[in-house]
């Protein structure tokens, strides 16, 4: 189904780029990002997030630019910039407000602005609209309109993508909603779900990830309990999972820019309204502490196996926030690293997917190449990138001194029946 709108996408990261590529299969799209290097790379057909292949970028139907004046060529603008939290775990709306300011200065009569960035319920209308109005000199609901359509991009997931996952859409009024729904329907083959209001669509987004956070926190708490009982969590979950209504969640590190962030947005708004959440912060507390819990077990196992802590080397495989992506945002692997270094353990990290310079710039950590890894007493398979899993036990054993030592399989991806004799295995 064709629409007659000219699309711009503001923010060309994990969310915005796939959106721009999908719409560009129909008509020319303006792809805007403030990062000059990102624009250079995209014009050369390179996507550092690995979400979009070169062929899709070189179709020539996207005008990649960091010049805001190009936004005037569009009349349907999609804002897809990050919405992180600050060091106090409070929502940091600065990126979305800056994007609103940039777009506001180019906004025209009849334009529609749709936010895909995760925000707390009410933020689009209460916080973003005033910025659009101020910098455009236009009146929302009279001169231009707005909508909200929460992103559902799952980095590294090739099965669930922008076009084959149902899209929640909302609009300021029925007329806007009809246009927003029509535009997204033209590319989202799975169809759209029309939420009754912008605030409901915003709320739906934050609870999708809050629900996952709470469920994973329960699994992490169970893992800590079962560890004290000396029983294997995976075996317990496999047994319980035979019941038809048992939910298939597993323990693990919860990082990234969705599950590890969105609950703070909901809690923030709840507290503004005078309600202090109980379950949501408790889940966050458990999940934030899992890196330290894993590090504690590394130290315990080193002692138990007769190694001197201060003379031990621990190799950590993976530093991105999840498998098969190069994204470092809110990675919890750092918690393991810092906890081990506090006990004077020598830590070396290898990750073939991330940008070595970015890790040094943001975290002052020097990564090791595969060849430069020293033989270690313990290997932590922290992020199960496909290449690590495929290399399997033979490679992991080769990373240990004399093929003997400890392997921590954080996400339980290695076949237990093939554990080499000289290896002590521990997993969440």
């Amino acid at each position: 189904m064709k629409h007659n709108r000219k699309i711009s996408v503001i923010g060309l990261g994990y969310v915005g780029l796939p959106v721009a590529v999908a719409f560009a299969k129909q008509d020319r799209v303006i792809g805007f990002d403030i990062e000059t290097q990102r624009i250079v790379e995209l014009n050369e057909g390179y996507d550092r997030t690995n979400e979009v292949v070169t062929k899709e970028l070189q179709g020539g139907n996207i005008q990649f630019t960091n010049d805001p004046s190009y936004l005037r060529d569009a009349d349907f603008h999609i804002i897809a910039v990050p919405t992180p939290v600050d060091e106090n775990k409070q929502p940091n709306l600065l990126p979305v407000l800056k994007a609103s300011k940039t777009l506001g200065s180019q906004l025209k009569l009849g334009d529609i602005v749709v936010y895909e960035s995760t925000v707390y319920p009410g933020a689009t209308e209460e916080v973003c609209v005033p910025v659009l109005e101020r910098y455009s000199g236009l009146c929302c609901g009279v001169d231009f309109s707005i909508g909200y359509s929460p992103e559902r991009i799952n980095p590294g997931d090739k099965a669930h993508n922008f076009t084959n996952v149902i899209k929640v859409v909302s609009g300021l009024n029925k007329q806007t909603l009809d246009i927003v729904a029509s535009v997204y329907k033209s590319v989202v083959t799975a169809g759209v779900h029309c939420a009754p209001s912008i605030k409901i669509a915003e709320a739906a987004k934050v609870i999708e990830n809050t629900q996952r956070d709470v469920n994973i926190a329960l699994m992490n708490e169970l893992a800590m309990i079962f560890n004290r009982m000396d029983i294997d969590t995976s075996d317990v979950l496999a047994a319980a999972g035979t019941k038809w209504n048992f939910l298939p969640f597993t323990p693990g590190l919860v990082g990234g820019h969705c599950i590890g962030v969105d609950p703070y947005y909901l809690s923030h708004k709840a507290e503004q309204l005078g309600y202090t959440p109980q379950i949501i912060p408790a889940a966050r507390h458990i999940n934030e502490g899992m890196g330290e819990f894993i590090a504690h077990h590394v130290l315990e196992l080193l002692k138990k196996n007769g190694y001197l802590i201060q003379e031990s080397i621990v190799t950590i495989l993976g530093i991105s926030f999840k498998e098969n992506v190069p994204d470092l945002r809110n990675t919890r692997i750092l918690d393991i690293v810092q906890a081990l270094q506090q006990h004077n353990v020598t830590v070396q990290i290898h990750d073939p997917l991330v940008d070595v310079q970015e890790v040094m710039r943001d975290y002052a950590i020097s990564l090791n190449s595969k060849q430069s890894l020293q033989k270690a007493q313990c290997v932590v398979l922290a992020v199960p990138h496909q290449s690590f899993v495929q290399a399997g036990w033979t490679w992991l054993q080769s990373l240990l001194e004399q093929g003997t030592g400890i392997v921590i399989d954080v996400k339980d991806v290695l076949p237990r029946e093939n554990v080499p004799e000289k290896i002590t295995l521990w997993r969440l």
Side-chain angles (χ1 to χ4, degrees), residues 168-298:
V168 174
V169 295
S170 62
L172 185 65
N173 48 43
K174 186 178 185 310
Q175 184 188 2
T176 305
L177 176 59
D178 288 346
I179 296 169
V180 172
S182 158
V183 168
Y184 278 106
K185 266 185 198 169
S186 71
V187 291
V188 178
T189 53
V192 302
H193 172 91
C194 294
S197 70
I198 287 173
K199 202 181 275 191
I200 285 169
E202 291 167 326
K205 170 58 181 172
V206 285
I207 72 158
E208 285 172 23
N209 285 324
T210 301
Q211 183 189 66
R212 285 188 57 73
D213 197 42
V214 169
N215 278 296
I216 295 167
L218 173 60
M219 296 302 115
N220 280 333
E221 187 159 73
L222 293 176
M224 289 189 275
I225 294 169
F226 295 147
N227 184 72
R228 287 171 182 244
M229 295 177 176
D230 201 26
I231 56 178
D232 189 276
T233 306
S234 294
D235 288 343
V236 177
L237 294 179
T242 58
K243 191 177 181 212
W244 71 91
N245 59 357
F246 188 82
L247 303 176
F249 286 92
T250 53
L253 295 166
V254 184
H257 40 93
C258 289
I259 303 176
V261 171
D262 296 359
Y264 290 119
Y265 275 73
L266 189 55
S267 295
H268 168 81
K269 188 61 180 178
E271 283 168 6
Q272 273 188 345
L273 298 169
Y275 177 77
T276 303
Q278 306 295 310
I279 293 173
I280 298 168
R284 280 281 75 230
H285 178 72
I286 290 169
N287 288 340
E288 294 269 358
M290 290 312 288
E292 204 168 316
F293 175 71
I294 291 164
H296 168 74
H297 278 280
V298 170

Side-chain angles (χ1 to χ4, degrees), residues 22-72:
F23 279 111
K25 286 175 181 170
Q26 288 186 336
D27 204 353
R28 192 157 176 75
V29 169
I30 308 299
F32 176 86
D33 199 285
I34 56 170
E35 194 192 331
T36 308
Q37 184 58 32
R38 178 72 165 154
I39 297 300
V40 169
E41 289 170 2
L42 292 173
N43 276 320
E44 290 172 351
Y46 169 62
D47 170 27
R48 70 173 82 138
T49 69
N50 296 334
E51 291 296 307
V52 176
V53 296
T54 300
K55 190 173 133 189
E56 290 182 305
L57 294 177
Q58 291 178 328
N61 230 14
I62 307 177
Q63 171 75 57
F64 293 116
T65 182
N66 60 353
D67 180 350
S69 67
Y70 279 91
L71 296 172
R72 293 190 74 80

Side-chain angles (χ1 to χ4, degrees), residues 27-205:
D27 204 353
R28 192 157 176 75
V29 169
I30 308 299
F32 176 86
D33 199 285
I34 56 170
E35 194 192 331
T36 308
Q37 184 58 32
R38 178 72 165 154
I39 297 300
V40 169
E41 289 170 2
L42 292 173
N43 276 320
E44 290 172 351
Y46 169 62
D47 170 27
R48 70 173 82 138
T49 69
N50 296 334
E51 291 296 307
V52 176
V53 296
T54 300
K55 190 173 133 189
E56 290 182 305
L57 294 177
Q58 291 178 328
N61 230 14
I62 307 177
Q63 171 75 57
F64 293 116
T65 182
N66 60 353
D67 180 350
S69 67
Y70 279 91
L71 296 172
R72 293 190 74 80
D73 295 342
D75 57 17
F76 189 99
H77 310 278
I78 296 169
I79 292 181
V81 296
T83 40
V85 288
D86 63 21
E87 61 276 9
N88 299 315
K89 308 298 186 188
Q90 293 299 304
N92 175 11
L93 291 173
L94 196 56
V96 82
L97 293 176
K98 281 183 172 176
S100 301
K101 176 183 172 182
T102 300
L103 176 59
S105 65
Q106 308 299 326
L107 215 53
K108 313 178 301 302
L109 286 170
D111 282 8
I112 291 176
V113 182
V114 176
Y115 289 85
E116 289 211 4
S117 306
T118 301
V119 291
Y120 53 78
T124 300
E125 290 158 286
E126 296 160 15
V127 182
C128 299
V129 165
V131 176
L132 290 172
E133 290 183 325
R134 181 179 175 189
Y135 287 92
S136 67
L138 301 173
C139 179
C140 184
V142 177
D143 303 318
F144 71 93
S145 196
I146 56 158
Y148 183 80
S149 180
E151 60 89 4
R152 280 178 166 168
I153 300 287
N154 184 24
D157 184 346
K158 302 306 177 191
H160 304 96
N161 58 45
F162 174 67
T163 60
N164 70 14
V165 173
I166 292 171
K167 198 85 170 83
V168 174
V169 295
S170 62
L172 185 65
N173 48 43
K174 186 178 185 310
Q175 184 188 2
T176 305
L177 176 59
D178 288 346
I179 296 169
V180 172
S182 158
V183 168
Y184 278 106
K185 266 185 198 169
S186 71
V187 291
V188 178
T189 53
V192 302
H193 172 91
C194 294
S197 70
I198 287 173
K199 202 181 275 191
I200 285 169
E202 291 167 326
K205 170 58 181 172

